[in-house]
Amino acid sequence: MGGVPYDVVSHDRRPARKGNRTMMHRTVAEVMTRDVATASPEASLKTVAWSLAYNDVSALPVVDTHHHPIGIVSEADLLRRQAGLPEAEGRDQPGGTAAVDHRTMDARTAADLMSTPLLTARPSWGIVETARFLNERGVKRLPVIDDTGTLVGIVSRSDLLRPMLRRDDAIHEEIVDEVLGRTLRLTPGGVTVTVQEGVVTLSGTVEERSSIPIIEHLCVSVDGVVSVDQSLAYAVDDLQPNHDPAPDADNT
């Protein structure tokens, strides 16, 4: 907690790759909140509290005059300040009591109380990697900045859950049209796809055995998919040196 130096921490991310095919997930830019309520460093704690309530949010990025985020102040910060409680991550002291941060107790402005260094995200980050990053760092939200460090949005845990709300028919359409059709160019009807509660079931026959894990991997990568069950057969076992036909394939 506390003021200067204002340190913003960001981490570059790249889309996951499978061979030379880029696996694209939905990005932070597609789920983040763009109209972000903010606070100035000089804002009083009373003003911060009113802004939190008026905008119905649990935290405010603190931005400088260039709209660059330099910290974040939350309801939890204000409550600890109000109740005279120690830092949430404060270590127990001898006697079983936690140390009170006197800078927090003396805070009068957003800059005094805000959390730093500030973790941020980029609009191009995938939602899967962003969710992992939130979990690893134990935070609930990330301000989103562009290449100039300007605040362009904020992404929260609930935002990242939106793809899980995709309808089964939308998932089915993407797998059939995009994954099997445009990406893998499989013969229509060769693979049957059903989706129920986000669980994808694949059945049918493909030409080569090596394509099965690729199909499964691409389907798992579709946003909203919970898991993939497959019972795909194959005509040619191209994973064997002589490309032997599968035992149940027609050899005539």
Side-chain angles (χ1 to χ4, degrees), residues 89-148:
E89 65 276 10
R91 298 180 179 178
D92 288 343
Q93 300 298 309
T97 60
V100 174
D101 187 337
H102 292 287
R103 289 182 304 168
T104 298
M105 296 304 302
D106 295 336
R108 295 291 183 271
T109 66
D112 294 334
L113 193 62
M114 68 184 184
S115 297
T116 59
L118 179 65
L119 299 172
T120 62
R122 294 300 183 96
S124 60
W125 284 14
I127 60 172
V128 173
E129 63 185 348
T130 305
R132 289 173 180 162
F133 185 71
L134 281 170
N135 184 63
E136 290 168 0
R137 297 306 180 98
V139 295
K140 297 179 179 179
R141 65 194 69 79
L142 292 170
V144 184
I145 59 173
D146 63 16
D147 291 338
T148 68

Side-chain angles (χ1 to χ4, degrees), residues 62-86:
V62 181
V63 297
D64 63 16
T65 56
H66 300 289
H67 209 58
H68 295 167
I70 57 176
I72 195 163
V73 62
S74 69
E75 288 177 334
D77 297 327
L78 287 173
L79 287 172
R80 282 195 293 272
R81 165 67 175 78
Q82 186 74 7
L85 296 175

Side-chain angles (χ1 to χ4, degrees), residues 74-239:
S74 69
E75 288 177 334
D77 297 327
L78 287 173
L79 287 172
R80 282 195 293 272
R81 165 67 175 78
Q82 186 74 7
L85 296 175
E87 296 285 346
E89 65 276 10
R91 298 180 179 178
D92 288 343
Q93 300 298 309
T97 60
V100 174
D101 187 337
H102 292 287
R103 289 182 304 168
T104 298
M105 296 304 302
D106 295 336
R108 295 291 183 271
T109 66
D112 294 334
L113 193 62
M114 68 184 184
S115 297
T116 59
L118 179 65
L119 299 172
T120 62
R122 294 300 183 96
S124 60
W125 284 14
I127 60 172
V128 173
E129 63 185 348
T130 305
R132 289 173 180 162
F133 185 71
L134 281 170
N135 184 63
E136 290 168 0
R137 297 306 180 98
V139 295
K140 297 179 179 179
R141 65 194 69 79
L142 292 170
V144 184
I145 59 173
D146 63 16
D147 291 338
T148 68
T150 302
L151 182 72
V152 294
I154 193 166
V155 63
S156 67
R157 292 174 179 176
S158 59
D159 295 328
L160 298 175
L161 285 174
R162 288 180 191 171
M164 292 292 291
L165 303 178
R166 292 187 77 196
R167 301 188 315 275
D168 288 342
D169 58 348
I171 296 172
H172 180 276
E173 181 179 355
E174 182 171 346
I175 290 175
V176 172
D177 294 346
E178 299 296 330
V179 175
L180 302 181
R182 291 188 177 89
T183 301
L184 297 176
R185 300 185 183 277
L186 297 184
T187 302
V191 176
T192 299
V193 180
T194 60
V195 184
Q196 185 172 6
E197 296 294 316
V199 176
V200 176
T201 302
L202 306 173
S203 60
T205 302
V206 295
E207 181 64 24
E208 298 172 333
R209 180 182 179 185
S210 63
S211 67
I212 294 177
I214 296 174
I215 295 170
E216 188 172 4
H217 184 78
L218 287 171
C219 289
V220 168
S221 299
V222 171
D223 289 319
V225 170
V226 175
S227 63
V228 175
D229 297 327
Q230 63 86 14
S231 57
L232 295 170
Y234 52 89
V236 176
D237 188 355
D238 60 333
L239 298 180

